[in-house]
Amino acid sequence: MTDGAVNAARRGWLRDLRRLAVFTGKRLLALLVTVLIGVYLTIVIANMGGQVDDLRLAQIETTAAEAVRADPAFHDLPSAERTELVEQQVALEVERLRLDEPFIWRSFDYLYQAMILDLGRAEEMHSDAGSRQVFNIIAERLPATLLLFGTANLLVFFVAVFAALGLSRRYGSALDQSVIGLAPSSAAPGWFYGIFLILLLAFIWPLFPAGGMVSVPPPEDGWAYASSVLRHMALPVLAMFISQIFISIYSWRTFFLIHSSEDYVEMARAKGLPDRLIEQRYILRPTLSPIVTSFLLMLIGLWSGAIILEQVFNWPGLGTLLFEAIGHRDTPVIIGSVVIFAYLLAITVFVLDFLYAILDPRVRIEGGRS
Amino acid sequence: MSPWSEGLRRLRRYPSAVAGMLIILALLGTAIYAVTAIPYSEAQKLWRGGEVWQDLPVNAAPVWTDRLFGGNAPRTVKAGSEAAEREFAAFDGGRIEEQTLRFDFPYDDFPGEINLFLQAEFEQRPPFVRMSWHRPDGSEVALGSRRVSAEERVSISQDQGLEGRLGHAPQVGLFSDADVEDPEPRVLPGTYELVLETVHFEPEGRMDAELVAYGQVHGLFGTDHQRRDLSVALLWGTPVALAFGLIAAVGTTITTLIIAAAGVWYGGWVDAAIQRLTEVNIILPLLPILVMVGTLYSTSIWLMLGVVVALGIFSAGIKMYRAMLLPIRQAPYIEAARAYGAGSPRIVLRYMVPRILPVLIPTFVTLIPTYVFLEASLAVLGLGDPVLPTWGKVLHDAQAQSALYHGFYYWVVSPAALLMLTGLGFAMLGFALDRVFNPRLRNL
């Protein structure tokens, strides 16, 4: 290879890299704005457009009045002075929470804090470790959600893609037909199958625990702990797997079939290339970017599906947390969870864009001008 | 032949589509029946519970599940004064009445509980009643005596003294010939009698009685923890589920399509704004927001529907429709429409939208069950409509009462089966429609 060719190749790489950076930067900016708007909407809805403040004010008034009435030190005071004392306390508290300012100003303040993930203190709830910081409460629950949904999604994805490849090779067979026939079963969400699995495998034949993440009390030994978590994971993962797998196989199979009837694949077959090579180079390679897209879109869809499945299986993740927070009307925790959800979604979308840019040469060459 | 009837003809070749359509028709029939048989306000009143259901047992299984496994669990048996023998004997300043409530009990198991409802009519002095129980073998148990107020409910099965005398719970002891030591009492089938001797202290005094021996099975679908007949909720859940699914699916797909078409047609900043809004909307998590709205504002099913539709307008579908509509914008027939002077709204609504409507139909049909399940999901989380009975609310009650743990499987299985049936019906039809309307899939 001559020096010129090496230089040209390097220039090409640099050009690609520069365009990729421009593209990434643009997308990052756009997503930031998107998250900003999304989080702001959440804050407005969660504060009921300012109505929550009235509730909070009423609560402050009762608490202050109670505190003054209960304190024996103030018992001898005349009632006028006592009322004044209550009013003073209320005013202090209102100033501390800045409830005297219009909601619209505070909402921007909340927005800024939410964006830098300073999620504030919870009003009622606390983490298992005892922290009142919303960020700590959420951070404690996040791994549980990631563990459960990561496992289930990866399992569904890989099983579906490989099963679909196999089926597209034998299309029309009895197995193929039965998978098509089973595809409508995915109309029901995971929690729905979860209820049946709990009924069958936890109550009728008690093979697995009905809910929770580890047995009580948690085993001391690391291995025992892991195996306990695995046993508890089995049913929720199975529920998600059942609800997703057939539709995934079906759509991948259709997708591969459409792509394996392209002319260039026919030509490769005519050349007598082995099946494995055709699959890897002629079918999988050009379809990689749609495959990745749908994988990440599936992730997006499943983040919010988490709430009910976690609720049904009593899994201590983000979904259960959000539900508890709503039960307690703990606005900071609700906003915090929705912000985290929005961030997770945005990150997913960003990774999607980025992978697209790497996998799809058209995006690389146009440098995000699309 | 129009493309629609052509599509329908082709659809008949798919057995799954025919099965799906049959299921949907059956559900529609049930929905219409439910709405006509039990009016909206009546359904709400029934589901609020209370005295309407006082004659039904608590948590009774459906009759057919018991009979299917060869059981002969008791149904609810009632004996009222209307059919009873009444004898009066007058005395100075009043009369004595003896009525015998008689009923057959041919079952293999004991009733769940026994209540006696008494209704007395008097001016000043309430009547006094002495109750005695006659078993088919002729033995007799005294159930005590009491003064009867205008309306009274005597919970015989919760009579502690009686339980002590019989050595078993009253509903067991009264229906068997077992003595105190017998560990495993057996049911004594036959004709039982409850004799009520009433002393009325007024010549016109009257007392009506109704004895209810609550069964362990009831009707087609059983009852819940508040004695409510589940068939009301399951029946009325059908129109609610269908309406919710249909309106949400129509609302979101049609608006999305129109907005996508408008964006493509007008282009420029309109298109850009729509694109950005869609991106924001994709990042908004639907379910958490619905849960938030449900807890903070109201859980009315119509508000939820509104939020679902509002959040669904700028959904990811816009991107897909946009890609389909972009080439159509340049089509010659649109050019022709412009040439004869069609305005922009007319072109969007009459020329662009109808063009991709057929592609939309399968998506639309498969979307319906998604929303049906969404409503159920919200109800399972405890955010169901406060007054309307829905399948999801039945599931929620069952979950809250640990139905599976207590073995009330019917309580979970029947609403779940109905949900599944709805999901399957629409999904099967949708999948077949997809193959009919998307030519690329037709041969696969």
Side-chain angles (χ1 to χ4, degrees):
Chain A
M1 210 186 276
T2 63
D3 278 1
V6 171
N7 274 339
R10 190 178 296 151
R11 264 205 308 281
W13 261 107
L14 280 175
R15 187 200 59 201
D16 280 1
L17 212 62
R18 202 177 56 239
R19 286 180 176 167
L20 204 60
V22 170
F23 175 78
T24 315
K26 277 185 180 173
R27 287 304 299 160
L28 213 53
L29 202 69
L31 276 173
L32 201 69
V33 175
T34 322
V35 173
L36 211 66
I37 300 173
V39 169
Y40 188 70
L41 282 178
T42 311
I43 288 171
V44 172
I45 300 176
N47 283 288
M48 297 166 107
Q51 277 187 57
V52 164
D53 293 345
D54 299 339
L55 294 178
R56 213 176 283 165
L57 200 63
Q59 201 184 351
I60 290 170
E61 273 163 14
T62 33
T63 330
E66 278 296 317
V68 170
R69 199 176 309 136
D71 195 333
F74 301 127
H75 269 205
D76 303 333
L77 286 180
S79 72
E81 268 180 64
R82 233 193 295 175
T83 323
E84 204 179 316
L85 197 68
V86 170
E87 272 168 16
Q88 257 176 17
Q89 301 239 335
V90 170
L92 265 177
E93 190 69 5
V94 163
E95 206 175 325
R96 186 177 78 79
L97 292 172
R98 299 174 50 211
L99 284 176
D100 47 346
E101 287 175 31
F103 171 72
I104 189 103
W105 292 121
R106 269 175 304 123
S107 72
F108 287 119
D109 208 43
Y110 292 154
L111 176 64
Y112 172 72
Q113 283 170 355
M115 291 304 287
I116 60 167
L117 288 183
D118 173 12
L119 301 175
R121 284 169 65 84
E123 283 171 3
E124 304 265 336
M125 305 172 72
H126 49 78
S127 72
D128 293 342
S131 167
R132 300 287 301 253
Q133 291 292 324
V134 174
F135 186 80
N136 291 346
I137 298 178
I138 292 176
E140 198 180 64
R141 302 294 191 99
L142 197 57
T145 296
L146 287 179
L147 175 68
L148 182 61
F149 288 85
T151 315
N153 284 350
L154 287 176
L155 206 64
V156 167
F157 179 70
F158 285 108
V159 171
V161 168
F162 286 105
L165 260 183
L167 281 186
S168 71
R169 227 178 291 148
R170 278 186 294 274
Y171 112 81
S173 65
L175 192 65
D176 186 40
Q177 292 297 324
S178 55
V179 167
I180 298 179
L182 282 171
S185 70
S186 299
W191 63 262
F192 183 81
Y193 291 105
I195 291 179
F196 281 98
L197 288 178
I198 292 177
L199 170 64
L200 286 177
L201 297 180
F203 287 114
I204 297 186
W205 299 289
L207 298 175
F208 293 101
M213 188 165 153
V214 284
S215 47
V216 183
E220 298 282 328
D221 178 42
W223 287 109
Y225 190 91
S227 79
S228 169
V229 170
L230 269 182
R231 270 171 52 79
H232 282 80
M233 263 171 71
L235 286 189
V237 168
L238 189 62
M240 272 188 277
F241 188 76
I242 295 175
S243 85
Q244 291 290 318
I245 191 70
F246 293 113
I247 186 82
S248 305
I249 295 182
Y250 172 79
S251 52
W252 284 125
R253 162 199 166 277
T254 315
F255 180 78
F256 286 134
L257 278 177
I258 288 176
H259 277 270
S260 55
S261 60
E262 297 280 358
D263 291 343
Y264 56 82
V265 181
E266 295 291 332
M267 197 196 76
R269 277 212 189 94
K271 281 203 292 190
L273 291 180
D275 275 354
R276 188 149 293 278
L277 202 68
I278 293 179
E279 234 163 56
Q280 282 170 1
R281 276 206 202 139
Y282 290 82
I283 301 180
L284 272 182
R285 181 76 183 92
T287 51
L288 206 54
S289 52
I291 292 179
V292 171
T293 313
S294 83
F295 175 63
L296 288 169
L297 282 177
M298 190 172 81
L299 277 185
I300 292 179
L302 281 176
W303 283 127
S304 51
I307 298 180
I308 297 173
L309 195 89
E310 286 185 1
Q311 182 74 8
V312 167
F313 282 98
N314 209 0
W315 187 264
L318 268 187
T320 313
L321 175 74
L322 178 63
F323 189 69
E324 287 167 0
I326 284 168
H328 286 112
R329 312 246 153 172
D330 202 328
T331 329
V333 180
I334 299 175
I335 298 181
S337 323
V338 179
V339 168
I340 295 283
F341 269 118
Y343 262 109
L344 283 175
L345 288 183
I347 291 169
T348 318
V349 172
F350 175 69
V351 171
L352 176 74
D353 281 341
F354 190 73
L355 281 179
Y356 230 86
I358 292 177
L359 292 174
D360 192 341
R362 282 170 295 186
V363 179
R364 221 177 331 171
I365 286 163
E366 287 171 11
R369 255 179 283 129
S370 57
Chain B
M1 199 185 276
S2 78
W4 296 98
S5 56
E6 164 79 15
L8 203 65
R9 197 177 52 83
R10 210 175 279 133
L11 205 58
R12 277 215 300 264
R13 281 200 306 233
Y14 294 94
S16 67
V18 176
M21 277 194 282
L22 286 180
I23 292 177
I24 294 169
L25 279 180
L27 287 171
L28 273 178
T30 317
I32 292 168
Y33 170 74
V35 177
T36 46
I38 313 170
Y40 187 73
S41 56
E42 180 74 14
Q44 287 187 2
K45 208 173 75 196
L46 282 176
W47 200 241
R48 211 172 295 137
E51 285 208 352
V52 196
W53 302 113
Q54 67 179 5
D55 287 353
L56 296 195
V58 175
N59 286 330
V63 176
W64 58 270
T65 48
D66 177 67
R67 302 295 185 261
L68 202 64
F69 294 108
N72 188 21
R75 295 173 188 247
T76 301
V77 179
K78 285 190 236 178
S81 290
E82 315 84 61
E85 296 162 23
R86 313 175 84 149
E87 280 169 30
F88 294 95
F91 68 87
D92 190 25
R95 54 179 179 169
I96 297 177
E97 177 187 3
E98 186 180 303
Q99 45 179 306
T100 309
L101 307 180
R102 190 172 288 136
F103 65 94
D104 269 332
F105 194 80
Y107 305 106
D108 293 349
D109 206 346
F110 298 103
E113 47 179 326
I114 312 170
N115 278 342
L116 181 65
F117 296 94
L118 298 175
Q119 258 185 322
E121 283 171 30
F122 56 88
E123 300 278 323
Q124 265 137 22
R125 266 189 86 181
F128 191 80
V129 64
R130 201 159 63 89
M131 305 168 283
S132 59
W133 184 264
H134 298 257
R135 296 199 187 100
D137 61 355
S139 55
E140 188 181 327
V141 183
L143 296 183
S145 45
R146 64 193 300 141
R147 194 178 297 281
V148 184
S149 57
E151 280 210 29
E152 191 137 352
R153 170 179 164 157
V154 187
S155 298
I156 297 176
S157 47
Q158 279 164 22
D159 189 335
Q160 299 288 334
L162 186 61
E163 182 166 351
R165 272 190 288 140
L166 292 168
H168 298 286
Q171 68 270 30
V172 174
L174 290 178
F175 282 88
S176 65
D177 54 356
D179 55 21
V180 178
E181 270 80 46
D182 197 344
E184 261 186 54
R186 290 172 57 85
V187 182
L188 196 64
T191 307
Y192 286 81
E193 282 173 7
L194 176 68
V195 179
L196 300 172
E197 269 182 291
T198 321
V199 184
H200 297 286
F201 299 101
E202 290 158 10
E204 290 304 307
R206 230 184 114 78
M207 192 195 70
D208 286 318
E210 189 179 33
L211 176 76
V212 183
Y214 296 93
Q216 297 189 0
V217 292
H218 176 81
L220 264 182
F221 298 101
T223 60
D224 68 2
H225 61 301
Q226 296 184 32
R227 303 179 187 274
R228 294 178 296 197
D229 191 337
L230 285 181
S231 62
V232 174
L234 296 175
L235 212 57
W236 246 90
T238 321
V240 175
L242 289 184
F244 191 89
L246 209 67
I247 297 175
V250 170
T252 50
T253 41
I254 299 291
T255 46
T256 305
L257 180 58
I258 292 177
I259 285 174
V264 167
W265 177 249
Y266 291 103
W269 67 268
V270 177
D271 195 29
I274 289 173
Q275 296 281 331
R276 295 295 91 75
L277 269 174
T278 311
E279 273 154 26
V280 173
N281 205 30
I282 290 175
I283 283 186
L284 283 182
L286 173 67
L287 201 59
I289 287 188
L290 276 180
V291 172
M292 206 157 78
V293 169
T295 27
L296 296 180
Y297 296 80
S298 123
T299 51
S300 154
I301 197 166
W302 309 116
L303 176 74
M304 290 292 174
L305 188 60
V307 176
V308 167
V309 173
L311 285 177
I313 289 175
F314 288 99
S315 65
I318 283 197
K319 301 244 172 204
M320 192 176 83
Y321 303 145
R322 190 169 173 272
M324 286 188 228
L325 285 163
L326 271 174
I328 292 176
R329 187 174 193 270
Q330 314 291 342
Y333 79 99
I334 302 250
E335 198 99 359
R338 286 181 74 179
Y340 83 71
S344 294
R346 187 179 167 83
I347 290 182
V348 169
L349 290 177
R350 300 294 300 272
Y351 289 83
M352 294 177 73
V353 171
R355 180 67 190 268
I356 65 165
L357 219 47
V359 187
L360 206 74
I361 287 174
T363 329
F364 164 76
V365 173
T366 29
L367 258 183
I368 294 176
T370 318
Y371 289 117
V372 171
F373 273 102
L374 183 69
E375 190 274 319
S377 309
L378 287 170
V380 168
L381 285 178
L383 298 172
D385 190 273
V387 289
L388 260 186
T390 67
W391 296 335
K393 273 177 80 182
V394 176
L395 274 179
H396 175 247
D397 286 346
Q399 287 274 84
Q401 303 290 322
S402 316
L404 292 182
Y405 180 76
H406 292 298
F408 307 136
Y409 298 141
Y410 68 94
W411 199 355
V412 176
V413 172
S414 41
L418 279 170
L419 276 170
M420 194 68 229
L421 208 62
T422 316
L424 273 183
F426 282 103
M428 288 198 296
L429 181 64
F431 274 71
L433 279 172
D434 205 20
R435 290 199 237 168
V436 171
F437 284 108
N438 291 349
R440 275 196 99 172
L441 297 174
R442 200 167 289 158
N443 298 321
L444 300 180

